[in-house]
Every structure is written in structure tokens, then in C-alpha cells.
């Protein structure tokens, strides 16, 4: 179908719809009676009767009209989030971890009886042996050929320092 024919059909359908809507709107509107002037003393009662009949006519029409359930001018309703109440749950602190060892392996020296291991403690070279306290926070548990075991005293956690072979051995 040609585009101009489609546009013509749509335009005529729109005009017919508007005309039908206007016609049905004209049929539902009641005609108001115009007040008449009279010289008699019954004018106030006639006016009251005409107003009452007009109000009754409006009420009947209002009852038959379809009322939309959607109020376009109402403020939007925001659904509230349900609060989740958590009971009897305690927060668990993460386990504390000892800080990394603040020592550096320098080397070891083996004599006829013992092997001495040297570490750098805050810039000082210190020979380490079993049971020794270092900085009042670390205790040397065990010195072996390739490893030194420390105990971090504030948290009572074991830490290990791996040591390598040196030219002195």
C-alpha cells in the first residue's frame, strides 16, 4: 500500500473517532433551564425548584459516568522497604594476625659444635639461639638448618623465617 493512502486512512479514522466522541459527549450533558422573570411572589419557590431539579439531573449523570480509578494528579505512593530485624546475631571480629617478621636473615656461621644464625633486628646484627627474647615481642622457639621458628608473644602465634644456604657453611 502506498504511504499517502495509509496516511489518508489514518487521518479519516482519526476524524471519525473525534466526531463520535464529540457526539456522545453532547448527548450526556443536560440542558440547564434558564431562569425566567416573573412578577409573582412565587419566584423564590420556582427558582428553588428549578435548581433542585438541575442538581438531581447532574447527580443522575454523575452516577452513570465511568470514574477512573487512577488519579493522575495524586502524589506518587512509594512502597516502604520492609525492615529486616536480625536478632541474636553477634558480630564476629576477624581473627588478629601477627605482623610480618621485622627481621632480615643475614647469614649463619657453623663452628665445630654449633651453628650460629645472624639476623638484622632494627639495624643491629644479632646472633639468635633457642629461647631468646627479641624486642620483648618475639621468642625464638627453634633454630634449624633452613628455618627459624618464632613466637609472637602478644597473640601467641607461631611464625617461620626460611633461611638459605650461605658461603660460610
Amino acid at each position: 500500500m502506498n504511504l499517502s493512502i495509509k496516511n489518508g486512512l489514518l487521518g479519516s479514522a482519526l476524524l471519525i473517532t473525534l466526531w463520535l466522541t464529540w457526539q456522545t459527549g453532547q448527548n450526556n450533558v443536560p440542558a440547564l433551564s434558564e431562569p425566567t422573570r416573573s412578577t409573582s411572589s412565587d419566584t423564590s419557590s420556582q427558582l428553588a425548584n428549578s435548581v433542585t431539579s438541575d442538581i438531581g439531573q447532574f447527580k443522575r449523570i454523575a452516577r452513570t459516568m465511568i470514574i477512573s480509578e487512577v488519579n493522575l494528579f495524586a502524589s506518587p505512593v512509594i512502597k516502604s522497604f520492609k525492615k529486616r530485624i536480625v536478632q541474636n546475631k553477634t558480630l564476629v571480629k576477624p581473627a588478629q594476625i601477627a605482623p610480618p617478621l621485622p627481621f632480615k636473615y643475614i647469614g649463619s656461621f657453623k663452628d665445630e659444635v654449633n651453628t650460629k644464625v645472624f639476623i638484622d633486628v632494627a639495624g643491629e646484627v644479632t646472633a639468635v639461639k633457642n629461647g631468646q627474647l627479641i624486642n620483648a615481642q618475639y621468642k625464638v622457639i627453634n633454630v634449624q638448618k633452613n628455618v627459624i621458628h618464632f613466637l609472637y608473644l602478644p597473640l601467641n602465634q607461631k611464625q617461620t623465617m626460611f633461611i638459605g644456604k650461605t658461603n660460610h657453611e
Side-chain angles (χ1 to χ4, degrees):
M1 224 184 218
N2 194 358
L3 185 60
S4 61
I5 295 172
K6 284 183 183 179
N7 288 339
L9 287 175
L10 286 174
S12 54
L14 177 64
L15 289 175
I16 292 171
T17 305
L18 290 174
W19 181 75
L20 288 173
T21 306
W22 183 74
Q23 287 297 322
T24 55
Q26 291 295 320
N27 293 338
N28 289 337
V29 178
L32 296 175
S33 59
E34 293 184 20
T36 57
R37 294 185 183 221
S38 77
T39 55
S40 67
S41 62
D42 293 334
T43 50
S44 62
S45 64
Q46 288 175 355
L47 182 62
N49 287 339
S50 70
V51 169
T52 331
S53 68
D54 288 344
I55 291 174
Q57 199 172 16
F58 279 123
K59 284 183 181 179
R60 281 190 297 279
I61 292 172
R63 287 183 193 137
T64 59
M65 289 177 56
I66 299 172
I67 299 174
S68 173
E69 293 181 12
V70 178
N71 185 354
L72 298 176
F73 302 104
S75 59
V77 177
I78 300 172
K79 294 181 180 179
S80 62
F81 294 104
K82 291 183 180 179
K83 293 181 181 178
R84 293 183 182 178
I85 299 174
V86 180
Q87 296 177 353
N88 298 331
K89 286 208 172 184
T90 57
L91 296 176
V92 178
K93 283 187 175 181
Q96 292 184 345
I97 299 173
L101 288 171
F103 318 125
K104 246 184 184 177
Y105 171 72
I106 294 178
S108 61
F109 178 75
K110 184 177 183 181
D111 62 5
E112 295 174 6
V113 181
N114 294 327
T115 301
K116 293 188 179 182
V117 177
F118 298 95
I119 59 173
D120 178 7
V121 180
E124 287 185 22
V125 177
T126 306
V128 204
K129 60 182 179 180
N130 291 342
Q132 181 179 353
L133 286 176
I134 302 172
N135 293 340
Q137 290 187 340
Y138 291 93
K139 181 179 181 179
V140 179
I141 298 174
N142 191 6
V143 179
Q144 295 177 352
K145 184 176 180 181
N146 294 327
V147 72
I148 305 173
H149 296 283
F150 295 95
L151 178 66
Y152 182 64
L153 297 174
L155 297 176
N156 199 29
Q157 290 182 355
K158 291 183 183 179
Q159 290 181 287
T160 304
M161 175 188 283
F162 294 97
I163 55 178
K165 294 182 180 180
T166 64
N167 294 335
H168 302 292
E169 292 183 300

